[in-house]
Amino acid sequence: MEKIDLVKEVRNEIKDKNLKYTILTFGCQLNENDSEKIAGMVEEMGYSKADNFEDSNLVIFNTCCVRENAEERLFGKLGEIKKMKEEKNTIIAIGGCMMQEKSMLEKIKKSYRYVDIVFGTHTLQTLPEDLYKVIIEKQKVKNVIDIDGEIIEGLPIKRNDKFRAQVTIMYGCNNFCSYCIVPYVRGRERSRDPEDILEEIRGLAKEGYKEITLLGQNVNSYGKDKFKYCKKEVKSDIDNFAKLLRAVCEIDGIEIVKFMSPHPKDFTFDVIEAIRDCDKITRMIHLPLQSGNTKVLKEMNRGYTKEEFLELAKKMKDNIPNLYLSTDIIVGFPGETEEEFEDTLDVVRKVGFEQIFMFIYSKREGTKAAARPDQVPEEIKHQRFDRLKELYDSEVEAQNKRYIGTVQNIMIEGKSKNDETKYCGRTDSNRVVVFNPNGKEKIGDIAKVRITENHKWFLTGEIV
Ligand code: SAH
Ligand code: SF4
Ligand code: F3S
């Protein structure tokens, strides 16, 4: 049966029943963007979003397996939902990265028999068909494939935000960093046709979106696959990330352009030039360090040394005025010694990151690092984490002081969570700012705000 007919049949079956759905997203921004597509598909079938989890007739878990705690959260929630299933026959679907792991798939099949649908990262688009089988044919569905899926364009999408949109520009990863499971569960790098990306963003601009985040596991290698996974021939002369960035910036209505994540080893000068030349591109760039020690970096298979990272950070700061850098760091990679960890602290001090996402190394079955016998004891990993955090906290304090008196362009995101009379938004560097409305600017506008006070985790200011 055609997909359109399936959707129609399910719509007919569930219409007037006022059925509700909830999607629980456990992973990164790419995972979130997939969830927005899942929401688009189920709304097309006639479900509407539940206000409360308990009222849902359909619960979809979009899982992540990058670290062990992401997996634990899923199992906690799955246990909770069993009762709901017994009471109101809630349909339960699990998809995402964790389902691409064979051991997890087995565990779900064996110990969580009440799950109705299991789908993977390459089979997102078949969800309408899966739901059809469950609702109309009363079947259970397992729909996971190992091979890289073709790029599917034109899925319906229900976005979480009205002004900021995420746009996936490429799927998968080819880097095989030795600690990381992503290349195993997301498959090879697959770049979307630039014209499809630009068309999507033009559409978003028409709908009133102002900020776009371009997503991929390594956006700097956009186009390197020569678009061989696209369904139709790609005719565009946009064949790398720098050109794509410039083309996105030319779209009227889009005022802020962000991207996540670049890889330091592929951060070429043409991308630095594009950022320098285009005011719309954020001055907060994510540059994942992972470790500051050359030997550890080599064992991580990161493709750069401590010195090369420092050089790149310097080159970026020299060429892009007012640049801020954020980063990801893993502590306790197998074999990491005290001195090697100190190198990480050294790079943190030298670069002065605006934001650091810190992770304790988590063993991922099937990766190269997991097989190493020299795993760092838990206690030492935690101590290193605390020491890195201490250093970071002291830097945040010092950096916040530098904002006082400056005027920042802030997109008004909404009311402040703690005080409904105030607005909140973020600086270019991602600091939260809370300020009084002035009666003119409204939510979604970009206001000029003078920063007046520092409260450690947020700043306050006034519209000028
Ligand atoms: N492609 C992105 C990262 C995606 S995963 C990049 O290369 O920057 C997000 C972050 O999770 C990584 O940057 C890394 O810091 C962390 N991470 C990945 N695998 C991990 C593991 N096994 N243990 C701890 N942290 C991990
Ligand atoms: Fe994982 Fe490395 Fe790929 Fe990032 S670049 S997703 S850390 S393998
Ligand atoms: Fe997690 Fe998959 Fe993203 S493993 S970090 S959701 S790509």
Side-chain angles (χ1 to χ4, degrees):
M1 211 185 304
E2 284 285 313
K3 188 181 148 239
I4 302 256
D5 299 332
L6 292 172
V7 171
K8 255 199 219 147
E9 266 210 43
V10 175
R11 274 196 91 96
N12 276 340
E13 177 71 22
I14 70 174
K15 75 167 189 271
D16 310 326
K17 290 190 184 155
N18 191 23
L19 296 187
K20 306 276 185 199
Y21 75 91
T22 296
I23 302 173
L24 298 171
T25 308
F26 292 81
C28 61
Q29 284 166 301
L30 284 145
N31 206 230
E32 274 169 27
N33 193 221
D34 283 348
S35 287
E36 292 179 326
K37 291 174 196 159
I38 295 171
M41 287 187 277
V42 296
E43 290 205 3
E44 196 182 61
M45 298 181 92
Y47 283 91
S48 57
K49 193 171 171 185
D51 292 326
N52 300 309
F53 179 67
E54 291 73 25
D55 300 336
S56 323
N57 308 90
L58 166 66
V59 175
I60 302 171
F61 294 87
N62 196 6
T63 62
C64 169
C65 53
V66 76
R67 288 171 295 274
E68 200 177 347
N69 54 6
E71 297 188 336
E72 282 162 0
R73 278 171 49 222
L74 170 75
F75 289 117
K77 207 72 191 166
L78 261 183
E80 240 175 72
I81 207 176
K82 189 170 178 202
K83 207 159 145 256
M84 244 166 95
K85 173 89 195 169
E86 284 160 1
E87 279 168 9
K88 53 192 292 192
N89 202 22
T90 310
I91 296 176
I92 303 173
I94 310 186
C97 294
M98 230 171 125
M99 295 306 105
Q100 296 292 142
E101 288 181 284
K102 287 220 168 58
S103 59
M104 285 302 160
L105 203 55
E106 285 308 311
K107 184 164 170 177
I108 297 286
K109 249 178 27 198
K110 239 178 127 180
S111 312
Y112 298 87
R113 287 174 183 271
Y114 51 91
V115 171
D116 299 283
I117 301 172
V118 177
F119 61 100
T121 55
H122 305 298
T123 46
L124 200 70
Q125 68 285 357
T126 58
L127 195 65
E129 205 173 311
D130 300 345
L131 268 171
Y132 173 88
K133 286 183 186 151
V134 172
I135 295 170
I136 313 279
E137 296 175 351
K138 313 287 176 215
Q139 290 181 26
K140 297 246 178 218
V141 183
K142 180 183 140 264
N143 191 359
V144 181
I145 53 168
D146 283 336
I147 49 162
D148 300 327
E150 239 179 1
I151 293 178
I152 310 286
E153 295 292 348
L155 288 182
I157 185 158
K158 174 77 191 352
R159 295 185 183 271
N160 293 328
D161 196 291
K162 288 202 176 75
F163 306 109
R164 304 193 295 185
Q166 309 188 325
V167 174
T168 299
I169 61 166
M170 60 194 297
Y171 302 90
C173 180
N174 285 358
N175 291 307
F176 289 95
C177 300
S178 64
Y179 50 81
C180 184
I181 198 159
V182 171
Y184 301 91
V185 295
R186 285 274 174 177
R188 295 296 62 74
E189 274 173 15
R190 307 178 305 282
S191 308
R192 285 177 66 194
D193 184 332
E195 290 312 321
D196 289 332
I197 297 171
L198 295 174
E199 199 179 295
E200 181 177 344
I201 299 175
R202 277 183 220 114
L204 287 166
K206 272 200 202 114
E207 285 175 51
Y209 282 89
K210 299 205 170 129
E211 179 182 307
I212 298 292
T213 303
L214 305 174
L215 296 179
Q217 292 299 355
N218 175 4
V219 289
N220 309 64
S221 53
Y222 174 78
K224 281 192 183 162
D225 60 352
K226 305 257 183 278
F227 305 104
K228 66 170 180 258
Y229 293 92
C230 293
K231 266 191 174 161
K232 52 185 197 322
E233 195 194 337
V234 172
K235 298 218 173 83
S236 171
D237 39 348
I238 297 170
D239 57 358
N240 66 31
F241 186 55
K243 289 184 195 167
L244 182 68
L245 266 179
R246 286 181 190 271
V248 172
C249 289
E250 275 170 24
I251 297 175
D252 283 340
I254 298 302
E255 294 179 37
I256 301 172
V257 178
K258 299 182 170 178
F259 55 89
M260 231 4 207
S261 287
H263 193 306
K265 82 173 160 64
D266 297 318
F267 215 115
T268 43
F269 197 67
D270 57 349
V271 177
I272 297 180
E273 285 175 316
I275 302 167
R276 183 197 62 199
D277 296 346
C278 308
D279 288 344
K280 291 183 180 180
I281 303 178
T282 170
R283 264 43 191 158
M284 174 80 158
I285 307 286
H286 190 64
L287 197 64
L289 169 66
Q290 313 301 0
S291 163
N293 177 268
T294 297
K295 178 165 162 275
V296 175
L297 285 167
K298 187 159 197 307
E299 288 169 5
M300 284 178 161
N301 193 29
R302 288 292 291 177
Y304 51 88
T305 62
K306 175 184 182 182
E307 289 68 32
E308 282 165 351
F309 186 92
L310 287 171
E311 247 167 62
L312 173 63
K314 183 172 181 314
K315 194 158 51 168
M316 289 170 72
K317 285 186 175 177
D318 287 349
N319 283 281
I320 309 165
N322 302 320
L323 180 76
Y324 300 94
L325 293 174
S326 62
T327 200
D328 287 354
I329 293 176
I330 298 176
V331 300
F333 180 77
E336 183 189 65
T337 64
E338 176 58 27
E339 293 73 49
E340 287 163 0
F341 170 66
E342 300 260 344
D343 265 338
T344 299
L345 299 180
D346 187 45
V347 174
V348 168
R349 282 191 206 97
K350 286 191 169 123
V351 176
F353 293 106
E354 188 68 14
Q355 208 170 16
I356 305 180
F357 300 92
M358 293 169 254
F359 305 107
I360 290 177
Y361 169 74
S362 170
K363 208 168 147 180
R364 303 286 71 205
E365 261 353 291
T367 62
K368 216 170 150 198
R372 285 178 60 157
D374 51 352
Q375 301 289 323
V376 174
E378 283 302 315
E379 201 189 308
I380 296 183
K381 286 200 267 192
H382 281 90
Q383 278 170 10
R384 287 184 188 158
F385 184 88
D386 292 344
R387 283 164 63 197
L388 175 61
K389 189 164 178 305
E390 218 172 279
L391 172 63
Y392 173 52
D393 285 352
S394 67
E395 293 203 341
V396 168
E397 194 71 47
Q399 274 158 357
N400 272 1
K401 287 195 187 123
R402 292 210 296 264
Y403 285 87
I404 309 286
T406 62
V407 175
Q408 307 273 335
N409 289 327
I410 311 254
M411 187 205 284
I412 305 175
E413 285 174 23
K415 300 267 169 68
S416 159
K417 276 198 199 108
N418 298 324
D419 183 349
E420 285 266 306
T421 67
K422 294 193 158 74
Y423 277 154
C424 74
R426 278 161 205 275
T427 63
D428 232 11
S429 55
N430 219 23
R431 300 259 170 211
V432 174
V433 183
V434 176
F435 48 97
N436 280 320
N438 67 349
K440 276 187 258 158
E441 272 91 353
K442 50 187 192 314
I443 293 172
D445 285 349
I446 294 180
K448 286 200 178 305
V449 177
R450 176 173 291 113
I451 307 300
T452 51
E453 271 178 82
N454 157 31
H455 302 262
K456 185 144 184 166
W457 297 116
F458 67 98
L459 302 162
T460 47
E462 52 201 25
I463 300 182
V464 295

